[in-house]
Amino acid sequence: MSPGHYLALSAILFTIGGLGVLVRRNAIVVFMCVELMLNACNLAFVSFSRMHGNLDGQIIAFFVMVVAAAEVVVGLAIIMTIFRTRRSSSVDDANLLKY
Amino acid sequence: MTAAHVLADRAGAAQVLAGQVADKQSGEPFFFWLLAIVSVAAALGMIFMRKAVHSALLLATVMLSLAALYAVQDAPFLAFVQVIVYTGAVLMLFLFVLMLVGVSSTDSLVETLRGQRFWAAVCGIGFVVLLGVGFANAALGDSAGVKNANAEHGGNIRGLAYLLFGKYVFAFEATSALLITAALGAMVLAHRERTTPKPTQRDLSVERFRRAAQTGAHPGPLPGPGTYARHNAVDMPALLPDGTPSELSVNPIIAARTDTAHRHTDLDGQTEQQALDRDVRAVRTVTETADSERGRPRETEEDEK
């Protein structure tokens, strides 16, 4: 399989994740879509690593995973805090900074 | 060049050729198309499902297919890290928060911005076309394969370790600071200051008896769930000594959600009433024999007197 196939799959998954971020309202689902985008990037990194024949891409994918794990912890804590004060996890309800 | 060198070179070339043939024969196209279809379908399902739990499970499907794709691409370490960190830890954290926030929360289908979905779809198609054109124009060539890079230090994990603790050691150290910060941030954000002092056991007891005096509620502990020697599940209401199932013995949420009395139906294929009657009879015989056994020694004592 040429790297083009994997990159196309990665692009499609990234776009689906981006669409989810644009369309969905539930903050947790939006967050899951962000994770999907990170995963799609990881697939591209692994494909590039294989295309160039060295392991640097895999290392970068590993770092992306670590950062994603840290991001999920903080993001979910923020969602929990917002839910505790507003009793809702919809991104439409958190609009206090707008005014 | 000696004969031994020539032989070694030929052996090396043969090995490379054998590796290429094995790549072609390993069924990679089959796995790629299978996993690509599964992951794209699951990702689409994820953004179209209304319930957040379904989205989370479909995301797990996508992540597992991506792990398999990493394994197909000679990245076994990343494949396992993907399964352990993403599917194991991150998604379970998502499900945890979903359960805390409320599983029943579904998205409303009302668009708050007019035409948002339409323009989002247009943007998505435009973006994927942009990426596709970019990839099509790039001179990607054929992949070199990481077999040699893996073999250089004796395996994928050893090769990654050499890079991680050599070339990328500062990024690795920065990662540790990031993880500590994230853990601290989560603790600070999730921590809640108490505005009222925590009620002690004494306060709770006083409150229970006050409520008993006001409303006549039973001040003692509630009956535990389960039935004598037959069921000890938490959703199984206890049978009171007169044989009626007690709704107080199960969690109020479970009691509100379903009719818990019907849980006394047995798996023997009987009707609910028969099963309940048999349970009631069992409880009665146990309580009556206990009564008569307790009664007998008292009679003998009276006889001695």
Side-chain angles (χ1 to χ4, degrees):
Chain A
M1 300 299 292
S2 76
H5 289 90
Y6 288 100
L7 292 178
L9 174 61
S10 147
I12 290 170
L13 287 180
F14 189 90
T15 311
I16 292 174
L19 265 181
V21 171
L22 289 179
V23 170
R24 295 304 297 258
R25 298 274 161 57
N26 191 337
I28 300 176
V29 179
V30 170
F31 221 63
M32 285 197 256
C33 292
V34 174
E35 290 304 307
L36 180 63
M37 291 164 85
L38 288 170
N39 267 288
C41 291
N42 274 353
L43 180 63
F45 275 127
V46 173
S47 308
F48 280 130
S49 155
R50 190 181 180 215
M51 185 177 114
H52 291 295
N54 57 29
L55 293 178
D56 293 55
Q58 295 188 15
I59 290 279
I60 301 296
F62 181 63
F63 279 130
V64 170
M65 282 182 190
V66 174
V67 173
E71 175 226 336
V72 162
V73 168
V74 176
L76 287 180
I78 292 174
I79 289 175
M80 281 299 302
T81 317
I82 292 175
F83 180 79
R84 214 180 269 151
T85 52
R86 314 200 143 237
R87 291 281 133 203
S88 152
S89 61
S90 169
V91 285
D92 279 347
D93 292 344
N95 55 2
L96 210 60
L97 281 178
K98 202 163 125 188
Y99 304 111
Chain B
M1 195 182 272
T2 61
H5 276 120
V6 173
L7 269 182
D9 279 352
R10 285 222 181 126
Q15 214 172 3
V16 168
L17 198 65
Q20 285 171 356
V21 171
D23 263 355
K24 294 273 192 306
Q25 286 179 339
S26 63
E28 197 194 327
F30 170 72
F31 284 117
F32 173 78
W33 287 113
L34 179 73
L35 293 168
I37 289 167
V38 167
S39 58
V40 169
L44 281 175
M46 186 186 109
I47 65 169
F48 288 127
M49 283 288 171
R50 285 192 63 198
K51 288 206 163 183
V53 177
H54 294 170
S55 294
L57 293 178
L58 284 171
L59 183 61
T61 313
V62 179
M63 287 172 172
L64 285 175
S65 344
L66 284 180
L69 278 176
Y70 297 160
V72 166
Q73 296 206 72
D74 293 324
F77 177 70
L78 276 188
F80 279 99
V81 169
Q82 170 89 3
V83 172
I84 293 166
V85 172
Y86 263 120
T87 325
V90 168
L91 261 172
M92 290 312 111
L93 201 62
F94 268 115
L95 285 175
F96 237 82
V97 172
L98 271 180
M99 299 297 159
L100 284 174
V101 164
V103 196
S104 52
S105 65
T106 46
D107 259 7
S108 70
L109 289 176
V110 186
E111 280 188 321
T112 41
L113 298 171
R114 222 159 54 79
Q116 184 198 4
R117 295 214 181 101
F118 171 74
W119 288 110
V122 169
C123 286
I125 292 168
F127 187 69
V128 86
V129 166
L130 188 71
L131 280 180
V133 169
F135 286 145
N137 278 334
L140 289 174
D142 210 16
S143 59
V146 284
K147 283 244 156 61
N148 290 334
N150 278 343
E152 190 183 353
H153 293 290
N156 180 246
I157 295 172
R158 288 177 65 107
L160 285 178
Y162 268 98
L163 275 179
L164 195 58
F165 298 115
K167 189 174 169 187
Y168 293 103
V169 70
F170 285 111
F172 180 73
E173 293 294 337
T175 303
S176 65
L178 176 76
L179 286 178
I180 292 270
T181 317
L184 254 178
M187 270 194 280
V188 168
L189 284 171
H191 179 71
R192 179 164 41 168
E193 286 293 337
R194 259 192 181 281
T195 47
T196 53
K198 189 179 180 189
T200 60
Q201 207 165 11
R202 183 194 166 89
D203 296 339
L204 291 175
S205 174
V206 165
E207 178 58 31
R208 248 197 329 260
F209 275 93
R210 183 171 297 133
R211 204 180 309 127
Q214 282 167 358
T215 65
H218 184 53
L222 296 173
T227 310
Y228 268 118
R230 296 195 40 151
H231 313 280
N232 56 2
V234 286
D235 59 346
M236 180 72 65
L239 291 177
L240 296 177
D242 63 341
T244 51
S246 164
E247 293 273 306
L248 284 176
S249 63
V250 291
N251 191 313
I253 292 172
I254 297 176
R257 198 180 287 167
T258 53
D259 174 24
T260 43
H262 85 277
R263 288 176 198 276
H264 279 277
T265 318
D266 217 345
L267 298 174
D268 297 344
Q270 298 165 314
T271 65
E272 292 172 16
Q273 195 54 45
Q274 274 176 335
L276 191 59
D277 284 348
R278 216 174 60 182
D279 280 353
V280 168
R281 220 179 303 125
V283 171
R284 282 219 174 114
T285 43
V286 169
T287 49
E288 277 161 17
T289 50
D291 280 348
S292 59
E293 276 170 7
R294 207 180 299 134
R296 211 174 297 132
R298 205 179 298 143
E299 283 166 18
T300 53
E301 278 172 20
E302 281 169 7
D303 285 348
E304 283 169 4
K305 279 175 188 173

